[in-house]
């Protein structure tokens, strides 16, 4: 409503859009950095509404941003972190990555798994190239097989009790990773999932 939306990277917003089909609302992760007046979201065509966005939206249509919501925030983690994104679950991580300005005070291994070539791969590699403490591991599950907890922990190379793990992606993937990480010794309080829900 004529003013910038203040948010913390990793949060999501409820977006109300006055489209050709009337007002619609949907939660979308904010993928931009919190600088400037523009808000960006990354949307995958997963359901009836998101599959039709290209047909029902036009520039200039009214929209209202409700929020921000969520507490998905890597600054509350330990100094040794693992970030795991599956498919469109990369969205909150894009905001984190785009907000990095200067030194990243933590050692982070970022795993991004997709079926096929990962979207945003070039941008993610460029950001990781500017931050020595950030390693990006882009996984094409079709070519390399599914990302596993064993692979994540082997690459991270840190004792599991010292890790904070942040995850966003398909529910089945997150449930499996959560259980496997706890069995491997990652503390439950250090495993964080984005639910895109009010908490």
């Amino acid at each position: 409503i004529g003013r910038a939306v203040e948010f913390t990277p990793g949060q999501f917003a409820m977006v109300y859009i006055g489209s050709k089909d009337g007002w619609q609302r949907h939660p979308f992760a904010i993928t931009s950095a919190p600088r400037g007046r523009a808000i960006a979201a990354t949307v995958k065509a997963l359901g009836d509404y998101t599959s039709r966005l290209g047909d029902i939206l036009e520039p200039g249509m009214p929209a209202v941003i409700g929020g921000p919501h969520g507490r998905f925030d890597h600054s509350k983690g330990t100094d040794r972190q693992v970030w795991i994104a599956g498919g469109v679950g990369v969205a909150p991580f894009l905001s984190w990555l785009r907000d990095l300005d200067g030194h990243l005070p933590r050692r982070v291994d970022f795993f991004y798994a997709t079926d096929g070539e990962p979207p945003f791969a070039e941008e993610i590699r460029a950001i990781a190239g500017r931050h020595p403490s950030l390693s990006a591991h882009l996984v094409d599950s079709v070519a390399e097989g599914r990302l596993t907890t064993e692979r994540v922990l082997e690459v991270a190379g840190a004792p599991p009790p010292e890790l904070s793990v942040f995850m966003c992606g398909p529910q089945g993937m997150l449930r499996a990773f959560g259980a496997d990480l706890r069995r491997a010794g990652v503390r439950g309080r250090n495993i964080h999932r984005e639910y895109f829900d009010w908490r």
Side-chain angles (χ1 to χ4, degrees), residues 30-176:
I30 301 170
T31 58
S32 49
R35 296 181 290 275
R37 295 179 54 85
I39 295 285
T42 298
V43 180
K44 183 175 182 178
L46 291 172
D48 291 342
Y49 176 64
T50 52
S51 296
R52 295 177 35 238
L53 279 178
D55 298 326
I56 63 174
L57 295 183
E58 293 177 356
M61 287 181 164
V64 177
I65 306 294
H69 305 287
R71 295 181 291 182
F72 197 59
D73 184 359
H74 69 88
S75 69
K76 297 178 178 153
T78 60
D79 287 340
R80 191 66 184 83
Q81 297 187 5
V82 169
W83 301 350
I84 302 172
V88 76
V90 73
F93 297 104
L94 289 174
S95 185
W96 288 0
L97 293 168
R98 291 169 176 164
D99 186 54
L100 294 179
D101 187 16
H103 177 65
L104 176 62
R106 295 165 184 81
R107 177 75 183 94
V108 175
D109 280 287
F110 174 44
F111 296 86
Y112 175 25
T114 59
D115 291 334
E117 177 66 19
F120 310 103
E122 188 174 319
E123 179 184 7
I124 291 168
R125 288 186 182 110
I127 292 170
R130 295 192 300 268
H131 296 86
S133 61
L134 171 66
S135 296
H137 311 280
L138 308 183
V139 180
D140 177 347
S141 299
V142 173
E144 304 173 48
R146 297 275 177 222
L147 180 65
T148 65
T149 302
E150 293 76 20
R151 177 177 174 186
V152 167
L153 293 176
E154 180 182 344
V155 170
E162 296 178 10
L163 290 174
S164 285
V165 180
F166 295 86
M167 306 182 294
C168 187
Q171 291 303 314
M173 172 187 168
L174 300 187
R175 277 194 298 272

